[in-house]
Each structure stands twice: as structure tokens, then as C-alpha cells.
Amino acid sequence: QVQLAETGGGLVQAGGSLRLSCTASGRTLWRYVMGWFRQAPGKEREFVAAINWSGVDTVHVDSVKGRFTISRDSAKNTVYLQMNSLKLEDTAVYYCAADRTTVQSMGAMLPDYWGQGTQVTVSS
């Protein structure tokens, strides 16, 4: 079992920055790829980024490349999503997720473990 808890959401103006954190607990965390997904009002949940345990291997969806960066502090069992140059369309509930898969596959599947989500609202 893996438990995930997100923090760091909030209200920010367009062009601003936020950093989301996801702290994981459970055994054998090193086996899990961690990722971020988001769900905007009236839309399906979409993949944002994923990272492996060592932090060497990452993937970001095209819409956030160059603006968002996923990183990981394995000693703290924490994954981060640094979000810069935020746009109105980034407004969503952001979910942390974990699964025993590959970074490349994370976006094409429904992970086994999810956090409760944190709201990010970008205003004009």
C-alpha cells in the first residue's frame, strides 16, 4: 500500500508560479514511478508528468514542457511539480499518483494509487 498526500495548491495570477508537493508513505517506494495528473472542470483527468525513483528519468506532457518541472527527493519520499508561467488553462485539481510501471507508460494508464488532490486556480 502507498499513501499519497499533496500540498501546495492555491490561487495565482497568470504568469505566476506554484510548487506542488506530494509526500508518499509505504513500503518499497523505490519500486514506484510517481506522477502528476490534473482534472479541469468538465474535462477528463489528464496526465501531466512522471518521474522514476532515482529522478533521472522524467516525462512531461507537451502542453507543460518548458513551464513545469517534476522532481523528486527520494530521501524525503517527496515529489514536486514546479509550475512556472502559469496559464488560465492550467486551472485544475492536481493529483499525485503512483504505480509500479515505467515513466513512459504512466501517461497511458490509470495508476493504482492516488492522492486526494489539490486545487490550482490561475486568474487573469
Side-chain angles (χ1 to χ4, degrees):
Q1 289 287 336
V2 176
Q3 293 79 43
L4 304 172
E6 305 100 332
T7 58
L11 175 65
V12 63
Q13 286 191 324
S17 298
L18 279 176
R19 189 177 79 159
L20 305 182
S21 299
C22 172
T23 301
S25 59
R27 296 188 293 180
T28 64
L29 291 174
W30 59 270
R31 295 183 178 181
Y32 289 85
V33 168
M34 304 288 292
W36 290 95
F37 290 72
R38 65 185 180 184
Q39 188 166 18
K43 295 187 177 181
E44 292 186 353
R45 192 170 296 188
E46 67 168 345
F47 170 75
V48 176
I51 189 167
N52 68 344
W53 178 252
S54 69
V56 171
D57 195 11
T58 65
V59 63
H60 298 77
V61 69
D62 286 347
S63 60
V64 307
K65 282 182 181 178
R67 300 189 300 121
F68 292 12
T69 302
I70 189 170
S71 62
R72 186 168 191 166
D73 186 337
S74 297
K76 296 182 179 180
N77 293 335
T78 300
V79 175
Y80 303 99
L81 186 67
Q82 178 66 44
M83 305 186 294
N84 299 326
S85 302
L86 282 159
K87 303 177 181 180
L88 296 178
E89 53 264 40
D90 294 319
T91 293
V93 177
Y94 283 71
Y95 296 90
C96 180
D99 202 287
R100 291 177 60 174
T101 183
T102 65
V103 167
Q104 291 70 26
S105 299
M106 191 72 160
M109 62 182 295
L110 195 64
D112 286 338
Y113 300 101
W114 294 87
Q116 80 286 355
T118 185
Q119 177 71 46
V120 172
T121 303
V122 183
S123 64
S124 59

